[in-house]
């Protein structure tokens, strides 16, 4: 193959070594920014944004509306995945990597400049919703590009480890978000944070945007995609009777949907994993502060350390999957998360800060162990010609059926039926993940250069 002729250095082809480091740095920068953007909204939606952007007398209604707006960003993610997935399979990974990053960063910073409902009325709510939709649209294409670039550049024998790094941008972004919010809140006097200090947390996206854009512009196109384009250019013109692998290019999104098995396995796996992520990092803040006697700062600090544990779990899980295979590496934490779900709620209900820390940190670590191998596994499910579209359908399709409504559903279930229903919600969805992984194929060692 054209991309593997040069000698290997440090486990990477010679001409890929320096490029891969730039790819990894650029992908991580984008992953951290994208999840910082979403995490900062999640943290503030549960504490500040409800009263500022949503009218009403009930605190619970304001909280539900704020969390629903958190979910609105997810609605646009599948559309972004479809648009950028098709364009990325047609024109390359790099242009999408840069475009989505710019959209994401600018829309986040713009939230920090919005007037509130008290200042301009319903227009403030509408503008917030539009910016959340823009964030979601950009994220829909961003994450697939970041994971694909690292997977298609990196050493195949360590693909699980390397692909877990952009995946680990989620907990790093959450840590950064909670650290920024805590620092600003501690630095400002009185209620200054609730009045205007929260804006600074969104405006932090601007320096991150500048640094990330500079790094991503220097990244070269994926060698796997380049090799596929070179092979396609050398193929003779085809007739309708010739094989599909050499037929004229159709929409890669439609091609992925015509071969639905890997998409369905991916969506099933992501269902419980996505919901667990938002229970342990977003919902827990609203749950612990609204229904129990926990202070906001204490819960945010617990989530910060839980996110660090999640990061360690992702990197460790990705590396472990290179040794034992993707299926085993995902099945073990999936099963443990089923068991941990009821224990987590029991620990939180004790109103003990140390037990809250234990519940969130263990839950987040197990989630990390599950999500770490997932990036390489989903990438390996699809051939080059529809890899961006297929993986984006999985990553972002799951966000609208799982991630988007998870905090909202959890709050509604507790308020309407009690905590037992939330436990059941988490357990049932995690069991679906167990089944999806158990019935899928092992992908470790897959050749990403395959066209079909």
């Amino acid at each position: 193959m054209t991309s593997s002729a040069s000698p290997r250095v440090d486990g990477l082809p010679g001409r890929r070594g320096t490029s891969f480091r730039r790819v990894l740095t650029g992908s991580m920068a984008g992953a951290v920014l994208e999840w910082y953007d979403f995490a900062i909204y999640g943290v503030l939606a549960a504490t500040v944004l409800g009263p500022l952007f949503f009218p009403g007398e009930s605190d619970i209604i304001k909280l539900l509306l704020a969390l629903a707006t958190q979910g609105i960003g997810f609605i646009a993610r599948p559309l972004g995945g479809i648009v950028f997935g098709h364009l990325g399979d047609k024109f390359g990974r790099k242009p999408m990597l840069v475009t989505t990053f710019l959209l994401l960063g600018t829309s986040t910073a713009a939230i920090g400049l919005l007037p509130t409902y008290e200042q301009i009325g319903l227009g403030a709510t509408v503008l917030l919703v539009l910016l959340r939709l823009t964030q979601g649209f950009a994220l829909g294409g961003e994450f697939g590009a970041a994971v694909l670039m690292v997977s298609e550049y990196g050493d195949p024998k360590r693909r699980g480890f390397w692909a877990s790094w952009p995946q680990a941008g989620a907990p790093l972004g959450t840590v950064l978000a909670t650290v920024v919010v805590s620092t600003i809140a501690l630095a400002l006097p009185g209620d200054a944070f609730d009045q205007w200090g929260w804006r600074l947390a969104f405006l932090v996206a601007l320096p991150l945007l500048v640094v990330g854009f500079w790094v991503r512009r220097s990244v070269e196109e994926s060698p796997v995609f380049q090799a596929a384009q070179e092979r396609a250019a050398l193929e003779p013109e085809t007739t309708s009777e010739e094989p599909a692998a050499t037929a004229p290019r159709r929409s890669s999104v439609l091609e992925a949907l015509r071969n639905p098995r890997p998409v369905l396995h991916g969506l099933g796996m992501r269902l419980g994993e996505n919901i667990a992520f938002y229970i342990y990092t977003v919902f827990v803040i609203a749950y612990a502060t609204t229904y129990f006697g926990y202070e906001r700062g204490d819960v945010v600090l617990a989530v910060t350390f839980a996110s660090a544990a999640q990061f360690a779990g992702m990197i460790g899980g990705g590396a472990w999957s290179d040794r034992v295979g993707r299926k085993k590496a995902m099945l073990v934490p999936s099963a443990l998360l089923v068991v941990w779900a009821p224990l987590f709620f029991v620990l939180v209900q004790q109103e003990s800060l140390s037990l809250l820390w234990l519940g969130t940190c263990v839950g987040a670590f197990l989630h990390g162990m599950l999500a770490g191998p997932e990036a390489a596994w989903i990438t390996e499910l699809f051939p080059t010609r529809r890899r961006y579209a297929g993986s984006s359908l999985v990553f972002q399709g799951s966000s609208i059926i799982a991630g988007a409504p998870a905090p909202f559903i959890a709050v509604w279930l507790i308020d309407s039926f009690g905590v037992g229903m939330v436990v059941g919600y988490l357990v049932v969805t995690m069991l679906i993940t167990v089944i999806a992984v158990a019935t899928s194929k092992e992908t470790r060692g897959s050749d990403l250069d395959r066209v079909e």
Side-chain angles (χ1 to χ4, degrees):
M1 297 171 201
T2 60
S3 60
S4 59
S6 52
R8 287 184 176 271
V9 178
D10 295 328
L12 295 171
R15 73 182 181 87
R16 289 193 197 178
T18 302
S19 296
F20 178 73
R21 296 183 186 96
R22 288 199 298 267
V23 167
L24 185 61
T25 302
S27 295
M28 281 298 296
V32 170
L33 174 60
E34 71 188 46
W35 290 108
Y36 171 84
D37 295 345
F38 263 66
I40 206 72
Y41 189 92
V43 170
L44 295 178
T47 55
V48 176
L49 298 181
L52 292 176
F53 287 92
F54 301 97
E57 299 297 329
S58 169
D59 290 338
I60 291 294
I61 294 298
K62 291 179 181 180
L63 173 61
L64 287 172
L65 288 173
L67 291 176
T69 311
Q70 165 81 354
I72 283 173
F74 289 87
I75 293 175
R77 284 172 61 173
L79 178 60
I82 289 171
V83 172
F84 291 113
H86 170 67
L87 295 176
D89 283 327
K90 186 173 184 179
F91 299 110
R93 300 5 177 166
K94 178 183 174 179
M96 306 306 111
L97 203 67
V98 174
T99 302
T100 55
F101 188 73
L102 286 174
L103 277 175
L104 191 61
T106 53
S107 59
T108 298
I111 292 178
L113 302 174
L114 282 180
T116 65
Y117 181 85
E118 183 179 349
Q119 293 171 315
I120 65 169
L122 191 59
T125 306
V126 172
L127 288 173
L128 179 63
V129 169
L130 289 175
L131 288 173
R132 289 291 297 156
L133 288 171
T134 303
Q135 279 185 317
F137 181 74
L139 189 86
E142 153 70 29
F143 191 66
V147 170
L148 257 62
M149 286 289 278
V150 172
S151 297
E152 292 180 346
Y153 258 99
D155 178 5
K157 294 181 180 178
R158 303 188 67 196
R159 186 178 296 136
F161 172 71
W162 290 122
S164 69
W165 281 90
Q167 184 83 320
L172 286 182
T174 302
V175 169
L176 181 60
T178 51
V179 167
V180 167
V181 168
S182 300
T183 302
I184 295 173
L186 289 173
L188 295 178
D191 59 353
F193 180 84
D194 289 352
Q195 291 180 350
W196 59 268
W198 60 272
R199 298 180 182 276
L200 300 178
F202 287 101
L203 294 175
V204 166
L206 286 175
L208 294 175
L209 175 64
V210 172
V211 173
F213 178 69
W214 178 76
V215 172
R216 286 194 168 193
R217 282 198 64 188
S218 66
V219 169
E220 297 177 10
E221 183 56 80
S222 158
V224 171
F225 178 80
Q226 287 179 321
Q229 292 293 90
E230 291 169 6
R231 288 195 297 271
L234 293 174
E235 291 174 353
E237 293 188 5
T238 64
T239 68
S240 58
E241 297 178 353
E242 291 177 309
T246 60
R249 291 295 302 274
R250 298 169 294 185
S251 166
S252 58
V253 176
L254 294 178
E255 289 185 0
L257 293 175
R258 287 191 183 101
N259 298 270
R261 186 178 178 85
V263 174
L264 293 175
H265 270 116
L267 290 174
M269 183 275 173
R270 289 270 293 169
L271 181 68
E273 179 266 305
N274 236 220
I275 290 171
F277 174 79
Y278 286 98
I279 291 293
Y280 294 120
T281 59
V282 175
F283 166 75
V284 66
I285 298 174
Y287 178 56
T289 57
T290 303
Y291 294 93
F292 299 98
Y294 295 98
E295 294 294 329
R296 180 178 68 186
D298 291 337
V299 181
V300 168
L301 186 61
V303 170
T304 302
F305 277 85
S307 296
Q310 191 176 48
F311 172 83
M314 285 184 176
I315 302 303
W320 191 40
S321 75
D322 288 328
R323 296 171 59 88
V324 303
R326 314 291 185 228
K327 285 186 66 171
K328 182 177 180 179
M330 293 189 294
L331 276 173
V332 171
S334 296
L336 291 175
L337 280 167
V338 173
V339 176
W340 190 251
L343 296 177
F344 165 73
F345 286 95
V346 169
L347 292 173
V348 175
Q349 290 170 358
Q350 305 310 304
E351 298 194 37
S352 164
L353 195 56
S354 59
L355 293 180
L356 173 71
W357 277 57
L358 176 64
T360 53
C361 286
V362 171
F365 176 78
L366 292 175
H367 171 269
M369 287 290 293
L370 169 61
E374 166 191 284
W377 178 70
I378 292 174
T379 299
E380 292 163 344
L381 287 175
F382 301 96
T384 302
R385 64 183 294 158
R386 57 176 180 271
R387 183 169 299 128
Y388 198 151
S391 59
S392 292
L393 286 172
V394 170
F395 280 122
Q396 310 312 332
S398 62
S399 71
I400 197 170
I401 62 176
F408 182 89
I409 289 175
V411 170
W412 176 74
L413 286 174
I414 281 187
D415 193 54
S416 301
F417 305 103
V419 71
M421 289 295 290
V422 182
V423 175
Y425 173 56
L426 187 52
V427 167
V428 169
T429 53
M430 281 308 311
L431 286 172
I432 293 173
T433 289
V434 171
I435 294 170
V437 174
T439 57
S440 69
K441 66 178 182 178
E442 176 58 61
T443 63
R444 181 184 57 162
S446 297
D447 179 15
L448 294 191
D449 283 293
R450 73 190 191 281
V451 176
E452 277 296 336

